[in-house]
Amino acid sequence: MSTYRKILVAVDLSEEAEQVLQTAADIAEANQAELYILHVADTPVSPYGQFPEYAAPVSTAEIRASIFAQLATTVENAGLSRELITIDFGRSIDSIIEHSDEYQCDLIVIGSHGRHGIQLLLGSTANGVLHHANCDVLAVRVREVIEQ
Ligand code: AMP
């Protein structure tokens, strides 16, 4: 059986992210592997938004801090440290592949669908990563979280 040394888990901000993180955490523990958690945010078009004269400036640092706070809770619910989180800006598939290559990961863990179910038919993030990755890819079939 293969042993994984470095695992990259890609997470969106959906409720289902915890299931993906939990699976990645279990595999990392079983393999005693290093784990990297990556979220890719959209690059802001302008720090002032569409209407600079009206909008309050939002810096990438503020966006990063807000996403980090949101993600940290999910990550800690999965029993992992918030220090494993990296937040990047750009195209998610490109960033996931670039980070996996940079960290020399031998496994990428990703959800089989996130919030955009229709993209499953058109080419989801998981599909794009599977086609471009230079290492193994595990697609975790996430169950939809029903709000009570
Ligand atoms: P989707 O393509 O939206 O169905 O998402 C499928 C999976 O891709 C999610 O469960 C995550 O593992 C990953 N993913 C989607 N969007 C992002 C993102 N912005 N940053 C990191 N991973 C993502």
Side-chain angles (χ1 to χ4, degrees):
M1 185 185 147
S2 351
T3 308
Y4 295 112
R5 298 264 166 243
K6 294 185 175 192
I7 300 171
L8 179 80
V9 54
V11 285
D12 57 19
L13 300 176
S14 70
E15 298 260 340
E16 287 85 19
E18 202 172 315
Q19 298 170 43
V20 182
L21 282 166
Q22 196 62 66
T23 301
D26 291 347
I27 297 171
E29 192 181 356
N31 288 267
Q32 297 191 328
E34 278 179 57
L35 189 62
Y36 302 90
I37 301 168
L38 176 67
H39 174 75
V40 188
D42 289 334
T43 308
V45 176
S46 146
Y48 295 95
Q50 202 180 354
F51 303 103
E53 61 276 38
Y54 301 118
V58 180
S59 66
T60 50
E62 286 172 298
I63 296 171
R64 193 186 293 274
S66 159
I67 292 173
F68 187 88
Q70 202 176 328
L71 214 49
T73 307
T74 314
V75 163
E76 287 175 352
N77 284 345
L80 296 167
S81 165
R82 57 173 64 197
E83 292 185 4
L84 303 177
I85 300 171
T86 296
I87 295 167
D88 189 26
F89 290 90
R91 277 174 41 89
S92 52
I93 295 171
D94 295 345
S95 175
I96 292 165
I97 302 297
E98 282 164 18
H99 279 82
S100 163
D101 288 349
E102 184 189 330
Y103 300 149
Q104 300 185 311
C105 291
D106 38 26
L107 179 68
I108 299 172
V109 178
I110 197 160
S112 66
H113 80 85
R115 287 174 301 167
H116 318 292
I118 192 70
Q119 288 192 5
L120 220 52
L121 303 171
L122 304 173
S124 66
T125 310
N127 214 12
V129 170
L130 187 59
H131 280 93
H132 294 100
N134 298 305
C135 64
D136 290 359
V137 177
L138 175 67
V140 178
R141 183 77 173 90
V142 288
R143 297 174 312 280
E144 194 178 342
V145 176
I146 313 283
E147 299 278 345
Q148 294 291 330

PDB file of all heavy atoms in Angstrom, residues 10-12 38-40 92 96 110-111 113-116 119 124-125, ligand 1:
ATOM      1  N   ALA A  10      -7.751  20.701  -0.201  1.00  0.00           N
ATOM      2  CA  ALA A  10      -8.316  21.957  -0.717  1.00  0.00           C
ATOM      3  C   ALA A  10      -9.732  22.102  -0.189  1.00  0.00           C
ATOM      4  O   ALA A  10     -10.536  21.173  -0.301  1.00  0.00           O
ATOM      5  CB  ALA A  10      -8.326  21.925  -2.246  1.00  0.00           C
ATOM      6  N   VAL A  11     -10.015  23.252   0.401  1.00  0.00           N
ATOM      7  CA  VAL A  11     -11.351  23.439   0.974  1.00  0.00           C
ATOM      8  C   VAL A  11     -11.986  24.740   0.505  1.00  0.00           C
ATOM      9  O   VAL A  11     -11.326  25.782   0.398  1.00  0.00           O
ATOM     10  CB  VAL A  11     -11.333  23.430   2.524  1.00  0.00           C
ATOM     11  CG1 VAL A  11     -11.167  22.020   3.042  1.00  0.00           C
ATOM     12  CG2 VAL A  11     -10.285  24.347   3.105  1.00  0.00           C
ATOM     13  N   ASP A  12     -13.288  24.652   0.225  1.00  0.00           N
ATOM     14  CA  ASP A  12     -14.055  25.870  -0.016  1.00  0.00           C
ATOM     15  C   ASP A  12     -14.652  26.310   1.327  1.00  0.00           C
ATOM     16  O   ASP A  12     -14.264  25.788   2.375  1.00  0.00           O
ATOM     17  CB  ASP A  12     -15.120  25.639  -1.104  1.00  0.00           C
ATOM     18  CG  ASP A  12     -16.066  24.499  -0.765  1.00  0.00           C
ATOM     19  OD1 ASP A  12     -16.156  24.130   0.419  1.00  0.00           O
ATOM     20  OD2 ASP A  12     -16.730  23.979  -1.684  1.00  0.00           O
ATOM     21  N   LEU A  38      -5.519  24.336   2.038  1.00  0.00           N
ATOM     22  CA  LEU A  38      -5.502  25.492   1.127  1.00  0.00           C
ATOM     23  C   LEU A  38      -6.918  25.938   0.790  1.00  0.00           C
ATOM     24  O   LEU A  38      -7.768  25.118   0.420  1.00  0.00           O
ATOM     25  CB  LEU A  38      -4.770  25.112  -0.172  1.00  0.00           C
ATOM     26  CG  LEU A  38      -4.759  26.189  -1.263  1.00  0.00           C
ATOM     27  CD1 LEU A  38      -3.918  27.406  -0.849  1.00  0.00           C
ATOM     28  CD2 LEU A  38      -4.242  25.609  -2.584  1.00  0.00           C
ATOM     29  N   HIS A  39      -7.151  27.241   0.906  1.00  0.00           N
ATOM     30  CA  HIS A  39      -8.367  27.839   0.348  1.00  0.00           C
ATOM     31  C   HIS A  39      -7.950  28.924  -0.640  1.00  0.00           C
ATOM     32  O   HIS A  39      -7.058  29.723  -0.356  1.00  0.00           O
ATOM     33  CB  HIS A  39      -9.255  28.461   1.434  1.00  0.00           C
ATOM     34  CG  HIS A  39     -10.421  29.190   0.827  1.00  0.00           C
ATOM     35  ND1 HIS A  39     -11.504  28.523   0.293  1.00  0.00           N
ATOM     36  CD2 HIS A  39     -10.641  30.503   0.595  1.00  0.00           C
ATOM     37  CE1 HIS A  39     -12.352  29.400  -0.216  1.00  0.00           C
ATOM     38  NE2 HIS A  39     -11.845  30.606  -0.047  1.00  0.00           N
ATOM     39  N   VAL A  40      -8.622  28.957  -1.779  1.00  0.00           N
ATOM     40  CA  VAL A  40      -8.303  29.954  -2.801  1.00  0.00           C
ATOM     41  C   VAL A  40      -9.479  30.925  -2.925  1.00  0.00           C
ATOM     42  O   VAL A  40     -10.596  30.508  -3.239  1.00  0.00           O
ATOM     43  CB  VAL A  40      -8.024  29.290  -4.164  1.00  0.00           C
ATOM     44  CG1 VAL A  40      -7.496  30.332  -5.144  1.00  0.00           C
ATOM     45  CG2 VAL A  40      -7.048  28.128  -4.017  1.00  0.00           C
ATOM     46  N   SER A  92      -8.853  28.737  -8.507  1.00  0.00           N
ATOM     47  CA  SER A  92      -8.669  27.655  -7.537  1.00  0.00           C
ATOM     48  C   SER A  92      -7.893  26.467  -8.105  1.00  0.00           C
ATOM     49  O   SER A  92      -6.961  25.981  -7.457  1.00  0.00           O
ATOM     50  CB  SER A  92     -10.009  27.215  -6.934  1.00  0.00           C
ATOM     51  OG  SER A  92     -10.926  26.923  -7.936  1.00  0.00           O
ATOM     52  N   ILE A  96      -4.313  25.302  -6.567  1.00  0.00           N
ATOM     53  CA  ILE A  96      -4.193  23.983  -5.910  1.00  0.00           C
ATOM     54  C   ILE A  96      -3.025  23.199  -6.524  1.00  0.00           C
ATOM     55  O   ILE A  96      -2.189  22.639  -5.810  1.00  0.00           O
ATOM     56  CB  ILE A  96      -5.528  23.199  -6.021  1.00  0.00           C
ATOM     57  CG1 ILE A  96      -6.611  23.882  -5.179  1.00  0.00           C
ATOM     58  CG2 ILE A  96      -5.343  21.746  -5.585  1.00  0.00           C
ATOM     59  CD1 ILE A  96      -8.039  23.432  -5.482  1.00  0.00           C
ATOM     60  N   ILE A 110      -9.765  16.408  -2.081  1.00  0.00           N
ATOM     61  CA  ILE A 110     -10.686  17.435  -2.555  1.00  0.00           C
ATOM     62  C   ILE A 110     -12.110  16.896  -2.466  1.00  0.00           C
ATOM     63  O   ILE A 110     -12.311  15.678  -2.516  1.00  0.00           O
ATOM     64  CB  ILE A 110     -10.272  17.787  -4.015  1.00  0.00           C
ATOM     65  CG1 ILE A 110     -10.882  19.097  -4.445  1.00  0.00           C
ATOM     66  CG2 ILE A 110     -10.553  16.696  -5.006  1.00  0.00           C
ATOM     67  CD1 ILE A 110     -10.162  19.724  -5.608  1.00  0.00           C
ATOM     68  N   GLY A 111     -13.094  17.771  -2.316  1.00  0.00           N
ATOM     69  CA  GLY A 111     -14.486  17.319  -2.284  1.00  0.00           C
ATOM     70  C   GLY A 111     -14.977  17.020  -3.687  1.00  0.00           C
ATOM     71  O   GLY A 111     -14.502  17.604  -4.657  1.00  0.00           O
ATOM     72  N   HIS A 113     -17.956  17.560  -4.683  1.00  0.00           N
ATOM     73  CA  HIS A 113     -18.742  18.738  -5.060  1.00  0.00           C
ATOM     74  C   HIS A 113     -18.762  19.693  -3.883  1.00  0.00           C
ATOM     75  O   HIS A 113     -18.640  19.300  -2.734  1.00  0.00           O
ATOM     76  CB  HIS A 113     -20.168  18.395  -5.505  1.00  0.00           C
ATOM     77  CG  HIS A 113     -21.106  18.147  -4.361  1.00  0.00           C
ATOM     78  ND1 HIS A 113     -21.764  19.162  -3.712  1.00  0.00           N
ATOM     79  CD2 HIS A 113     -21.458  17.010  -3.751  1.00  0.00           C
ATOM     80  CE1 HIS A 113     -22.500  18.628  -2.750  1.00  0.00           C
ATOM     81  NE2 HIS A 113     -22.333  17.337  -2.755  1.00  0.00           N
ATOM     82  N   GLY A 114     -18.872  20.980  -4.208  1.00  0.00           N
ATOM     83  CA  GLY A 114     -18.966  21.981  -3.163  1.00  0.00           C
ATOM     84  C   GLY A 114     -20.300  22.651  -3.264  1.00  0.00           C
ATOM     85  O   GLY A 114     -21.334  21.988  -3.339  1.00  0.00           O
ATOM     86  N   ARG A 115     -20.292  23.951  -3.358  1.00  0.00           N
ATOM     87  CA  ARG A 115     -21.550  24.693  -3.425  1.00  0.00           C
ATOM     88  C   ARG A 115     -22.113  24.751  -4.837  1.00  0.00           C
ATOM     89  O   ARG A 115     -23.255  25.085  -5.037  1.00  0.00           O
ATOM     90  CB  ARG A 115     -21.342  26.119  -2.910  1.00  0.00           C
ATOM     91  CG  ARG A 115     -21.164  26.174  -1.427  1.00  0.00           C
ATOM     92  CD  ARG A 115     -20.819  27.567  -0.991  1.00  0.00           C
ATOM     93  NE  ARG A 115     -19.582  28.005  -1.640  1.00  0.00           N
ATOM     94  CZ  ARG A 115     -19.154  29.237  -1.650  1.00  0.00           C
ATOM     95  NH1 ARG A 115     -19.862  30.179  -1.095  1.00  0.00           N
ATOM     96  NH2 ARG A 115     -18.022  29.563  -2.228  1.00  0.00           N
ATOM     97  N   HIS A 116     -21.259  24.483  -5.835  1.00  0.00           N
ATOM     98  CA  HIS A 116     -21.689  24.683  -7.216  1.00  0.00           C
ATOM     99  C   HIS A 116     -21.933  23.337  -7.893  1.00  0.00           C
ATOM    100  O   HIS A 116     -21.160  22.903  -8.730  1.00  0.00           O
ATOM    101  CB  HIS A 116     -20.638  25.469  -8.002  1.00  0.00           C
ATOM    102  CG  HIS A 116     -20.067  26.592  -7.199  1.00  0.00           C
ATOM    103  ND1 HIS A 116     -20.809  27.680  -6.842  1.00  0.00           N
ATOM    104  CD2 HIS A 116     -18.845  26.764  -6.664  1.00  0.00           C
ATOM    105  CE1 HIS A 116     -20.043  28.501  -6.136  1.00  0.00           C
ATOM    106  NE2 HIS A 116     -18.863  27.958  -6.010  1.00  0.00           N
ATOM    107  N   GLN A 119     -21.587  22.532 -11.637  1.00  0.00           N
ATOM    108  CA  GLN A 119     -20.264  22.456 -12.259  1.00  0.00           C
ATOM    109  C   GLN A 119     -19.755  21.027 -12.358  1.00  0.00           C
ATOM    110  O   GLN A 119     -18.801  20.746 -13.079  1.00  0.00           O
ATOM    111  CB  GLN A 119     -19.263  23.319 -11.490  1.00  0.00           C
ATOM    112  CG  GLN A 119     -19.510  24.787 -11.701  1.00  0.00           C
ATOM    113  CD  GLN A 119     -18.362  25.622 -11.188  1.00  0.00           C
ATOM    114  OE1 GLN A 119     -17.346  25.104 -10.760  1.00  0.00           O
ATOM    115  NE2 GLN A 119     -18.530  26.918 -11.231  1.00  0.00           N
ATOM    116  N   SER A 124     -15.967  20.445 -12.662  1.00  0.00           N
ATOM    117  CA  SER A 124     -15.824  20.968 -11.311  1.00  0.00           C
ATOM    118  C   SER A 124     -14.358  21.172 -10.954  1.00  0.00           C
ATOM    119  O   SER A 124     -13.463  20.768 -11.702  1.00  0.00           O
ATOM    120  CB  SER A 124     -16.445  19.996 -10.318  1.00  0.00           C
ATOM    121  OG  SER A 124     -15.676  18.819 -10.330  1.00  0.00           O
ATOM    122  N   THR A 125     -14.134  21.767  -9.808  1.00  0.00           N
ATOM    123  CA  THR A 125     -12.767  21.937  -9.313  1.00  0.00           C
ATOM    124  C   THR A 125     -12.090  20.567  -9.221  1.00  0.00           C
ATOM    125  O   THR A 125     -10.941  20.403  -9.644  1.00  0.00           O
ATOM    126  CB  THR A 125     -12.800  22.612  -7.923  1.00  0.00           C
ATOM    127  OG1 THR A 125     -13.631  23.761  -7.995  1.00  0.00           O
ATOM    128  CG2 THR A 125     -11.418  23.006  -7.478  1.00  0.00           C
TER     129      THR A 125
HETATM  130  P1  AMP B   1     -16.843  22.487  -6.564  1.00  0.00           P
HETATM  131  O1  AMP B   1     -15.992  22.524  -7.776  1.00  0.00           O
HETATM  132  O2  AMP B   1     -17.334  23.832  -6.154  1.00  0.00           O
HETATM  133  O3  AMP B   1     -17.913  21.431  -6.674  1.00  0.00           O
HETATM  134  O4  AMP B   1     -15.911  22.071  -5.328  1.00  0.00           O
HETATM  135  C1  AMP B   1     -15.396  20.772  -5.198  1.00  0.00           C
HETATM  136  C2  AMP B   1     -14.269  20.783  -4.202  1.00  0.00           C
HETATM  137  O5  AMP B   1     -13.218  21.585  -4.712  1.00  0.00           O
HETATM  138  C3  AMP B   1     -14.573  21.352  -2.816  1.00  0.00           C
HETATM  139  O6  AMP B   1     -15.166  20.403  -1.949  1.00  0.00           O
HETATM  140  C4  AMP B   1     -13.170  21.722  -2.361  1.00  0.00           C
HETATM  141  O7  AMP B   1     -12.454  20.547  -1.942  1.00  0.00           O
HETATM  142  C5  AMP B   1     -12.539  22.224  -3.656  1.00  0.00           C
HETATM  143  N1  AMP B   1     -12.689  23.663  -3.827  1.00  0.00           N
HETATM  144  C6  AMP B   1     -13.704  24.331  -4.442  1.00  0.00           C
HETATM  145  N2  AMP B   1     -13.510  25.661  -4.401  1.00  0.00           N
HETATM  146  C7  AMP B   1     -12.343  25.837  -3.741  1.00  0.00           C
HETATM  147  C8  AMP B   1     -11.585  26.985  -3.360  1.00  0.00           C
HETATM  148  N3  AMP B   1     -11.990  28.215  -3.664  1.00  0.00           N
HETATM  149  N4  AMP B   1     -10.432  26.809  -2.695  1.00  0.00           N
HETATM  150  C9  AMP B   1      -9.996  25.553  -2.403  1.00  0.00           C
HETATM  151  N5  AMP B   1     -10.662  24.439  -2.724  1.00  0.00           N
HETATM  152  C10 AMP B   1     -11.810  24.568  -3.385  1.00  0.00           C
END
